[in-house]
Amino acid sequence: MREIVVISGKGGAGKTSIAGALAHLAENAILCDLDVDAPDLHLLLAPQHIEEHAFHSGNEAIIDPELCTECGTCAELCRFDAIAGPDSGETGYRVLPFRCEGCKVCVELCPEKAIAFPQRHCGEWYVSDTRFGTMVHAQLFPGEENSGRLVTLLKSKARDMAEERGLEIVLSDGAPGIGCPVISSLAGTHLAVIVTEPTPSGMHDLARVAQLCDGFKTKVAVLINKWDINPEMTRNIEDYCAGKGYPVICRFPHDRAVTDAMVNRMVLTEYDDGPLADILR
């Protein structure tokens, strides 16, 4: 079994369009969307949920108004100003969830033991049917953290399903950038297909994410999207890749068909069976 992840180092480079087309062309693959903060592969693949699971990570403090005597100890001790009280116009004391860091100081030191500390419900993850096969994906709630942990969970589920079904590939659409979700997506991955653009920011972010791949001993292949908008920068990217030993597997031209396919909620290779599809094949 091989794990392939499509990443970009930046948003808007065409990563999901490429990943969706590869999902169409792939055989014997489990699909996975590892961009759990702002996923969009589902917009192209229209998944139908088979399984739905809550994702819990970390804890949050919750004050029980029936037990609280309004002594103010929690507000005094909270260094994150995460507890609002009468001084801020509240009728009692309550925890501000977007400020709470889950440090548990208020829970441990409340003299009335009036503060609960349940696990935080951060989002949902799914196993779904698509027209290209089974997809594992997720959606964090706005402002929630621990996306790296959720990515690891999705990868583990996709691996297990691929092994159970005797499938050869786990094909993932990764998150942009080089943060926690990308780091988690690269762990144990055999090949990272980096989609870049012939712009200064595209070149810069290619170098950053490729260096991250090197740190994980993950093989790198580079796809230059919209290469013809700046042929000189394209040559610079190719020279950089040659010096680093990264194969440039594709020069993909700028074409309206990519946008038209997206508007129709289709991937390029099923929308336009022409030269662009041939390049991706």
Side-chain angles (χ1 to χ4, degrees), residues 23 34 93 121 125 131 190 213 219 232 254 260 272:
L34 299 180
Y93 284 89
H121 183 196
W125 66 276
R131 59 191 183 278
H190 298 91
C213 292
K219 292 180 179 180
E232 182 179 356
H254 183 274
D260 290 341
D272 184 341

Side-chain angles (χ1 to χ4, degrees), residues 157-238:
K157 179 65 174 180
R159 287 172 184 159
D160 291 344
M161 293 182 68
E163 290 179 359
E164 289 171 4
R165 301 181 184 186
L167 301 178
E168 298 175 356
I169 297 173
V170 175
L171 176 61
S172 299
D173 181 18
I178 58 171
C180 278
V182 180
I183 291 170
S184 296
S185 70
L186 289 176
T189 297
H190 298 91
L191 175 67
V193 177
I194 303 177
V195 180
T196 190
E197 299 171 311
T199 64
S201 62
M203 177 76 174
H204 172 266
D205 294 326
L206 163 65
R208 290 198 312 164
V209 77
Q211 183 180 15
L212 185 63
C213 292
D214 290 343
F216 279 90
K217 308 297 183 185
T218 300
K219 292 180 179 180
V220 167
V222 177
L223 185 153
I224 305 175
N225 193 19
K226 296 178 282 190
W227 74 269
D228 46 350
I229 66 172
N230 192 336
E232 182 179 356
M233 182 60 75
T234 294
R235 287 191 292 272
N236 292 341
I237 291 174
E238 289 175 333

Side-chain angles (χ1 to χ4, degrees), residues 32-279:
C32 201
D33 190 346
L34 299 180
D35 187 354
V36 297
D37 293 287
D40 50 16
L41 187 59
H42 65 281
L43 299 176
L44 299 179
L45 303 191
Q48 301 296 312
H49 298 167
I50 304 170
E51 300 178 22
E52 300 185 20
H53 304 272
F55 174 66
H56 294 88
S57 184
N59 299 79
E60 60 181 335
I62 299 176
I63 298 173
D64 185 342
E66 298 296 324
L67 298 177
C68 178
T69 60
E70 300 187 14
C71 67
T73 300
C74 55
E76 179 183 348
L77 294 175
C78 181
R79 62 181 297 182
F80 303 106
D81 295 324
I83 298 178
D87 291 343
S88 57
E90 300 286 337
T91 56
Y93 284 89
R94 70 181 182 91
V95 178
L96 304 174
F98 286 107
R99 289 190 179 181
C100 179
E101 293 290 330
C103 69
K104 208 179 179 181
V105 165
C106 62
V107 178
E108 294 294 334
L109 299 180
C110 174
E112 303 300 325
K113 303 301 180 186
I115 305 177
F117 199 53
Q119 276 197 313
R120 185 191 297 270
H121 183 196
C122 299
E124 305 286 337
W125 66 276
Y126 314 96
V127 177
S128 300
D129 270 337
T130 77
R131 59 191 183 278
F132 304 144
T134 301
M135 182 167 82
V136 184
H137 56 120
Q139 173 71 73
L140 284 174
F141 298 144
E144 295 294 351
E145 300 180 354
N146 291 314
S147 54
R149 180 178 174 187
L150 180 53
V151 166
T152 299
L153 186 155
L154 296 182
K155 281 172 62 74
S156 176
K157 179 65 174 180
R159 287 172 184 159
D160 291 344
M161 293 182 68
E163 290 179 359
E164 289 171 4
R165 301 181 184 186
L167 301 178
E168 298 175 356
I169 297 173
V170 175
L171 176 61
S172 299
D173 181 18
I178 58 171
C180 278
V182 180
I183 291 170
S184 296
S185 70
L186 289 176
T189 297
H190 298 91
L191 175 67
V193 177
I194 303 177
V195 180
T196 190
E197 299 171 311
T199 64
S201 62
M203 177 76 174
H204 172 266
D205 294 326
L206 163 65
R208 290 198 312 164
V209 77
Q211 183 180 15
L212 185 63
C213 292
D214 290 343
F216 279 90
K217 308 297 183 185
T218 300
K219 292 180 179 180
V220 167
V222 177
L223 185 153
I224 305 175
N225 193 19
K226 296 178 282 190
W227 74 269
D228 46 350
I229 66 172
N230 192 336
E232 182 179 356
M233 182 60 75
T234 294
R235 287 191 292 272
N236 292 341
I237 291 174
E238 289 175 333
D239 290 342
Y240 167 80
C241 291
K244 291 290 187 176
Y246 306 142
V248 176
I249 57 173
C250 178
R251 274 183 168 200
F252 200 73
H254 183 274
D255 195 291
R256 174 62 184 268
V258 178
T259 303
D260 290 341
M262 195 182 309
V263 169
N264 285 278
R265 298 192 68 180
M266 300 173 71
V267 302
L268 178 63
T269 47
E270 65 177 339
Y271 177 79
D272 184 341
D273 193 26
L276 297 181
D278 289 340
I279 291 172

